[in-house]
Amino acid sequence: MFEFENALEALLTVSLLILSISSLGLVYRVIKGPSIPDRVMALDSIGINLIAITAIISIMLKTDAFLEVILLIGVIAFVGTVAFSKFLQKGEIIEYDRNN
Amino acid sequence: MSLIHLVILSPLLLAIFVPLLHKYFKSIHTGWFVLILPLVLFVYFLSYLGTSMSGNTYLSTMNWIPSMGINFSVYVDGLGLLFALLITGIGSLVVLYSIYYLSKEKEALNTFYVYLLMFMGAMLGVVLSDNLIVLYSFWELTSISSFLLISYWYHREKSRYGALKSMLITVFGGLAMLAGIILLYNMTGTFSVRETIANVDLVTGHELFVPALILFLLGAFTKSAQFPFHIWLPDAMEAPTPVSAYLHSATMVKAGIYLVARMSPVFAGAPEWFWLISVFGIITLFWGSFSAVKQTDLKSILAFSTISQLGLIMTLLGVGSAAVYYDYLSPNVYTVATLAAVFHLINHATFKGSLFMVVGIVDHETGTRDIRKLGGLMNLMPITFTLAIIGCFSMAGLPPFNGFLSKEMFFTGMLRATEIGVWNMDTLGWLFPVLAWVASIFTFIYSMVIVFKTFTGKLQPEKLDKKPHEAPMGMLIPPIVLASLVIIFGFFPNTLKGIIFPTLHSIFPGNFTVEEVDIYFWHGWTPELFMTIGVIGFGTFLYLTLAKWGKIYNWFPQRLTLNKLYDGGLVGLERGSFAFTKFYMTGYIRNYLVMIFGFMAILLAILLTRNGAFNFNLDNTTPVGVYEVVLSLIMVISAITILFTTSRLSAIIALGVVGYSMALFFVLFRAPDLALTQLIVETVSVALFLLCFYHLPDLSKEVSRLKFRLTNFIISVSVGLVVILIGLSVNSSRLFESISSYFEVASYEEAGGKNMVNVILVDFRGLDTLFEIAVLTIAAFGIFAMIKLRLADKKGEVNDEG
């Protein structure tokens, strides 16, 4: 099925597979649930997995064009998770209170 | 532009000044100013008589839209001149009559005379135009001004009903005629009547000949109130009496007759033309006279009488068209029918005009037009009585009035019609004289009803609103003039030769030469004379026994009358379209989406299969890697989750997963900029979804899963399938190389950038970017405005909590 030019590529492919399986497991958690925080955590982890996948793919594609993507995923995953958490905790993300 | 153009347009020009005259000369009845114009025009048109009699015509063209062959060309020949004289002559009399009929204080005279002048100008335009499009324009102007005149007393509901009815029917016919004109133009390439007649060979053999013929006849039949389109005319009697006298007896209803006569050189000779015109004419003749007898309102009697007389003229024109078939070999046999048509056209205009005015006088002086309330006016209104006798006896076809002459010629024409050796006339031909004869008996009866029920018998002063007395002289002059014409034409019919024979020349152009025919009283003991004697005998008998057999009119089922059909049709149309609109305009966006997507899927599927556009080849495809498979699986699973999840939050998260997987695809397919943007946009939109989710109202918060609907399922599956198929086909058939190779080179060499995507966005195709920035700006402002601007809610309170 796979033919590798060298050991590096074999290694990268294997790690990509592992990451994919891990992501699939996380997707299962997103779907199944049982509570919202489970899903949020799973989504956050998918984000981190995405960083790794992007990094490995960019090595495989031999390009440095995706480094921004990696950084962005990191930022967004963080912001998203925080937003979700706040939403779960307070019911809204940006508190809007003129009196303060 | 020559004088004659000015003459045709002069009523329209005067119409502009009528309101001013009305405003600044309040003490003088506006009609006096108006009266001058038709008189002058009448004299002007009389001056053409000499030219016309010597067989000459007059043509003058004013360019209107020359590039389309539409020019205001005026063509004065016998036919046009006859109508122009009728329009202006009777127009003057009607204006004079209206001065005494309409009160200066109570009526809105300015609008009346504006409409009347509009009508007069339009009618002159119809009969003198050589260009069919110009003719059509004036034709519609007559419909519109007639609509305005019928609804002159617009506060009455019946006036508005009658106006609407006549508008709908005549405009329907007018549009049909326009279609006919366009068909003729397709055949001959010209809008000019004369050139069409000159190229008549192009028309007769053409496959569009019969459709054009039928469309023209639709126009003529609706305008001239032929069966079954006659129903608008009795309802148009709600108009003021001068209008009824002018439009609905002498001029407008004859526009259809004019059209038939004018187009005869083009269409005559064809069996369709002969049959349609004569059969519908004779049915109209019979039905009109039969229905007239049962009416109790004088104007209704006259309306049905007009219908029947128009049918008579139409039949004669139809029978006369047989002359063209015989190539004028024996002209006097069938042309006598056309001669009778033209002669009766003039006669009808004279006696019907005077009768309407008589009825108007009776109405004006007694306050009613109902024959059940009238009676015994003979001694009170002797002049009106005399006028009524002259008009009605002429209408009934009694000697020594002009109606007798045209009735005799009518019978001659009908009897000759049975001798036509073609078109099944040998088997069905006998119907023509029989129906004509029966219709004449009914004509006799209602004519007698008008005279004797109104003027003889016992006076019933308690039923009348006013104390009856003779009309003022000014009101009597116009009917006196017309009645004298009835007598003059009756005794000296040959004075009309000068106008009748040029008219016949117009109807039968070309090699036809009119033999000198004298119209005279005494034909000898001909069948026609016996028929007239029979009409008088039977008519008298039936009139005297009217009370006994009159009940047969009650046997006719009221539900099946044409008026019921028209009213029911209108109501049905309205209800039907309302129900149809209600059926598909449900107000639910889901239904509209079903329609839009269903239509799209069906249309595209049909196009794909019809054109054989679907093809599938794998030559250009790259091998599918394992990453793509895994990623696709993730996306598919998340998408399915969105459909089947019970919670909205899970749906939002699953949607996020789809979006992020999309970003990963962008990474895989080497699109870093897209991946970046996709990530950010996805995050923001997920956050926005969450925002919306939180603000859902508590009450109807729905946490159940989507309901399964078969229609939606079928449509969504088919849309998906069709789009996939199209995508595959598009990918499988690459017609030409893409232009991206240019950008690869040029983005650095010409634009000085290494990032090709960004160079395209801001340099090669910067304009798109500009407007997408505009879109975002508009969206931002829109959101801001929607949040900030809370205008008054339903209760009227200003809510500015945002």
Side-chain angles (χ1 to χ4, degrees):
Chain A
M1 185 178 174
F2 297 109
E3 286 175 27
F4 304 117
E5 287 174 15
N6 51 37
L8 178 66
E9 196 168 336
L11 190 66
L12 289 174
T13 310
V14 169
S15 35
L16 208 51
L17 263 179
I18 293 168
L19 282 168
S20 304
I21 292 162
S22 138
S23 293
L24 275 178
L26 288 166
V27 168
Y28 172 77
R29 192 41 62 197
V30 167
I31 296 161
K32 194 69 188 170
S35 70
I36 299 296
D38 289 323
R39 294 195 172 99
V40 175
M41 279 308 296
L43 205 60
D44 190 43
S45 311
I46 288 176
I48 307 301
N49 267 3
L50 276 180
I51 293 175
I53 290 170
T54 315
I56 290 171
I57 286 176
S58 60
I59 296 171
M60 289 173 83
L61 298 177
K62 298 190 176 67
T63 171
D64 58 357
F66 294 110
L67 296 183
E68 292 98 330
V69 177
I70 293 167
L71 287 175
L72 195 73
I73 297 175
V75 172
I76 282 171
F78 172 72
V79 171
T81 311
V82 168
F84 256 120
S85 314
K86 198 161 179 207
F87 177 75
L88 291 173
Q89 189 190 6
K90 295 202 168 180
E92 58 184 325
I93 297 166
I94 299 164
E95 284 164 77
Y96 193 87
D97 197 348
R98 276 188 170 168
N99 296 333
N100 290 350
Chain B
M1 179 151 180
S2 63
L3 181 62
I4 190 122
H5 293 106
L6 200 66
V7 162
I8 291 174
L9 296 176
S10 61
L12 303 178
L13 294 174
L14 181 62
I16 298 171
F17 295 103
V18 162
L20 293 175
L21 292 169
H22 179 70
K23 196 174 174 188
Y24 292 109
F25 298 94
K26 268 204 185 310
S27 51
I28 307 166
H29 195 290
T30 318
W32 291 114
F33 301 113
V34 177
L35 180 60
I36 304 161
L37 181 74
L39 276 177
V40 171
L41 295 187
F42 183 68
V43 174
Y44 173 79
F45 281 119
L46 276 181
S47 71
Y48 275 92
L49 261 182
T51 333
S52 172
M53 264 194 273
S54 54
N56 294 323
T57 54
Y58 176 79
L59 179 74
S60 171
T61 302
M62 185 176 95
N63 281 358
W64 183 20
I65 314 173
S67 57
M68 299 183 74
I70 300 172
N71 292 312
F72 187 8
S73 42
V74 176
Y75 181 61
V76 188
D77 62 345
L79 183 64
L81 188 62
L82 166 66
F83 273 90
L85 285 171
L86 279 179
I87 292 159
T88 49
I90 296 184
S92 334
L93 296 174
V94 162
V95 172
L96 178 62
Y97 180 78
S98 70
I99 292 171
Y100 290 91
Y101 187 84
L102 293 174
S103 146
K104 195 168 66 184
E105 288 80 24
K106 289 180 204 154
E107 307 286 0
L109 290 177
N110 48 347
T111 54
F112 180 80
Y113 287 108
V114 167
Y115 300 159
L116 199 71
L117 284 170
M118 260 169 73
F119 173 77
M120 194 184 287
M123 204 61 211
L124 281 177
V126 166
V127 299
L128 294 177
S129 292
D130 181 53
N131 194 291
L132 283 169
I133 294 290
V134 177
L135 188 147
Y136 170 74
S137 313
F138 281 119
W139 184 277
E140 290 299 0
L141 192 55
T142 63
S143 294
I144 292 164
S145 48
S146 160
F147 169 80
L148 292 169
L149 283 166
I150 295 169
S151 58
Y152 176 64
W153 290 312
Y154 53 84
H155 46 85
R156 293 187 194 167
E157 204 200 332
K158 284 182 95 179
S159 298
R160 299 197 302 267
Y161 171 78
L164 181 67
K165 194 173 183 179
S166 74
M167 182 79 166
L168 285 177
I169 292 177
T170 52
V171 168
F172 159 74
L175 285 175
M177 192 181 91
L178 179 62
I181 290 170
I182 291 165
L183 288 188
L184 263 193
Y185 180 75
N186 274 341
M187 292 183 237
T188 60
T190 174
F191 282 124
S192 159
V193 179
R194 283 173 316 107
E195 285 169 35
T196 309
I197 293 170
N199 297 321
V200 75
D201 299 340
L202 290 175
V203 182
T204 37
H206 204 277
E207 54 184 348
L208 291 174
F209 176 75
V210 175
L213 186 153
I214 290 171
L215 288 167
F216 264 101
L217 283 186
L218 264 180
F221 283 1
T222 50
K223 201 76 166 180
S224 279
Q226 298 295 298
F227 188 88
F229 305 112
H230 65 273
I231 50 172
W232 66 268
L233 191 60
D235 284 307
M237 290 302 129
E238 291 301 318
T241 303
V243 172
S244 309
Y246 188 39
L247 273 70
H248 306 130
S249 72
T251 52
M252 189 178 92
V253 287
K254 294 205 172 92
I257 306 270
Y258 168 81
L259 188 73
V260 168
R262 180 56 90 201
M263 299 314 285
S264 270
V266 182
F267 293 115
E272 293 89 355
W273 182 259
F274 171 84
W275 274 112
L276 283 172
I277 297 181
S278 4
V279 168
F280 275 97
I282 201 108
I283 292 173
T284 314
L285 165 65
F286 175 74
W287 188 248
S289 59
F290 180 68
S291 308
V293 177
K294 73 173 167 183
Q295 306 301 322
T296 53
D297 180 82
L298 282 174
K299 270 176 100 175
S300 295
I301 299 178
L302 289 180
F304 278 105
S305 145
T306 305
I307 290 166
S308 108
Q309 306 274 320
L310 291 169
L312 188 156
I313 300 172
M314 208 57 114
T315 316
L316 284 171
L317 283 176
V319 172
S321 74
V324 180
Y325 179 81
Y326 282 114
D327 226 6
Y328 315 116
L329 285 178
S330 48
N332 283 330
V333 179
Y334 303 112
T335 47
V336 76
T338 313
L339 176 72
V342 177
F343 188 47
H344 193 71
L345 180 84
I346 302 169
N347 292 343
H348 178 250
T350 53
F351 68 68
K352 192 52 66 66
S354 77
L355 279 177
F356 266 109
M357 289 174 186
V358 163
V359 167
I361 290 170
V362 170
D363 187 14
H364 205 262
E365 305 307 332
T366 62
T368 184
R369 298 193 308 248
D370 195 328
I371 52 170
R372 288 167 300 191
K373 294 181 184 170
L374 292 166
L377 294 174
M378 186 164 71
N379 296 325
L380 291 167
M381 306 166 81
I383 303 174
T384 319
F385 173 58
T386 317
L387 294 172
I389 282 195
I390 294 170
C392 284
F393 282 17
S394 175
M395 182 157 74
L398 302 181
F401 304 108
N402 58 4
F404 171 72
L405 302 169
S406 42
K407 179 80 35 119
E408 293 278 278
M409 285 156 73
F410 169 56
F411 285 148
T412 313
M414 288 300 110
L415 289 171
R416 297 261 172 85
T418 55
E419 295 158 14
I420 297 176
V422 284
W423 311 326
N424 296 328
M425 279 307 277
D426 43 348
T427 49
L428 292 168
W430 60 272
L431 272 172
F432 280 87
V434 169
L435 274 176
W437 188 69
V438 175
S440 299
I441 294 176
F442 281 110
T443 308
F444 183 85
I445 298 170
Y446 70 70
S447 303
M448 295 308 116
V449 166
I450 295 177
V451 177
F452 293 109
K453 293 259 158 112
T454 313
F455 292 98
T456 61
K458 224 176 107 229
L459 185 66
Q460 299 159 298
E462 71 282 356
K463 285 187 183 171
L464 302 177
D465 299 339
K466 298 176 184 172
K467 195 174 160 16
H469 56 82
E470 187 59 273
M473 208 52 214
M475 217 167 178
L476 286 171
I477 287 172
I480 286 175
V481 171
L482 286 172
S484 350
L485 286 177
V486 168
I487 297 174
I488 291 170
F489 294 159
F491 280 107
F492 310 104
N494 289 323
T495 48
L496 286 173
K497 264 186 187 171
I499 185 72
I500 290 179
F501 287 121
T503 309
L504 285 179
H505 265 298
S506 312
I507 301 174
F508 299 123
N511 53 356
F512 171 63
T513 49
V514 181
E515 312 238 336
E516 287 293 310
V517 186
D518 281 327
I519 310 166
Y520 46 85
F521 273 110
W522 183 249
H523 298 267
W525 292 104
T526 51
E528 293 91 328
L529 189 65
F530 290 115
M531 281 169 89
T532 306
I533 294 170
V535 165
I536 297 171
F538 269 98
T540 316
F541 172 71
L542 284 177
Y543 171 71
L544 294 174
T545 54
L546 183 60
K548 283 181 186 135
W549 61 269
K551 293 185 188 72
I552 60 156
Y553 285 107
N554 301 332
W555 298 348
F556 284 95
Q558 282 299 308
R559 289 179 57 81
L560 290 178
T561 57
L562 285 164
N563 277 318
K564 280 268 161 26
L565 204 69
Y566 165 84
D567 291 334
L570 270 194
V571 171
L573 202 66
E574 215 166 279
R575 275 201 202 139
S577 42
F578 181 70
F580 180 64
T581 313
K582 218 177 163 189
F583 164 70
Y584 78 93
M585 297 291 281
T586 51
Y588 292 111
I589 201 160
R590 57 169 180 261
N591 295 356
Y592 303 147
L593 288 178
V594 162
M595 283 175 225
I596 292 168
F597 282 120
F599 179 76
M600 179 186 122
I602 291 168
L603 184 74
L604 291 177
I606 288 173
L607 282 178
L608 265 185
T609 47
R610 257 235 175 136
N611 300 338
F614 178 71
N615 65 19
F616 181 61
N617 74 59
L618 292 168
D619 297 344
N620 288 326
T621 46
T622 45
V624 181
V626 69
Y627 320 121
E628 285 96 334
V629 173
V630 172
L631 210 48
S632 310
L633 271 178
I634 293 173
M635 278 180 97
V636 169
I637 291 166
S638 329
I640 290 173
T641 315
I642 297 172
L643 290 180
F644 290 98
T645 182
T646 52
S647 115
R648 283 217 167 89
L649 205 52
S650 317
I652 292 169
I653 291 168
L655 192 64
V657 173
V658 173
Y660 291 126
S661 315
M662 198 68 221
L664 207 56
F665 260 120
F666 286 141
V667 169
L668 266 182
F669 294 143
R670 304 180 191 221
D673 298 294
L674 285 184
L676 280 174
T677 321
Q678 170 70 19
L679 276 171
I680 298 172
V681 169
E682 192 59 38
T683 312
V684 171
S685 43
V686 167
L688 285 177
F689 274 127
L690 287 173
L691 189 74
C692 299
F693 172 74
Y694 174 72
H695 286 289
L696 282 178
D698 290 336
L699 195 64
S700 58
K701 202 176 270 181
E702 198 182 326
V703 225
S704 62
R705 79 168 46 183
L706 280 175
K707 277 185 207 135
F708 179 77
R709 283 199 181 84
L710 189 65
T711 336
N712 294 4
F713 176 74
I714 293 170
I715 284 179
S716 56
V717 168
S718 49
V719 167
L721 267 177
V722 166
V723 172
I724 288 170
L725 289 179
I726 290 175
L728 286 177
S729 321
V730 169
N731 214 31
S732 307
S733 52
R734 190 144 294 180
L735 295 178
F736 36 75
E737 281 300 303
S738 84
I739 58 166
S740 54
S741 50
Y742 165 76
F743 291 127
E744 275 170 32
V745 183
S747 64
Y748 186 71
E749 285 180 0
E750 296 192 7
K754 286 179 181 167
N755 187 332
M756 202 170 96
V757 176
N758 289 2
V759 168
I760 289 174
L761 281 180
V762 298
D763 193 321
F764 291 127
R765 289 180 189 164
L767 214 55
D768 299 354
T769 316
L770 177 67
F771 288 107
E772 268 166 39
I773 290 168
V775 167
L776 286 179
T777 316
I778 292 166
F781 275 119
I783 290 165
F784 183 75
M786 279 194 284
I787 292 171
K788 277 288 176 190
L789 291 180
R790 303 259 174 101
L791 296 178
D793 57 12
K794 272 182 191 168
K795 285 172 191 164
E797 292 164 359
V798 175
N799 190 349
D800 59 353
E801 65 179 28

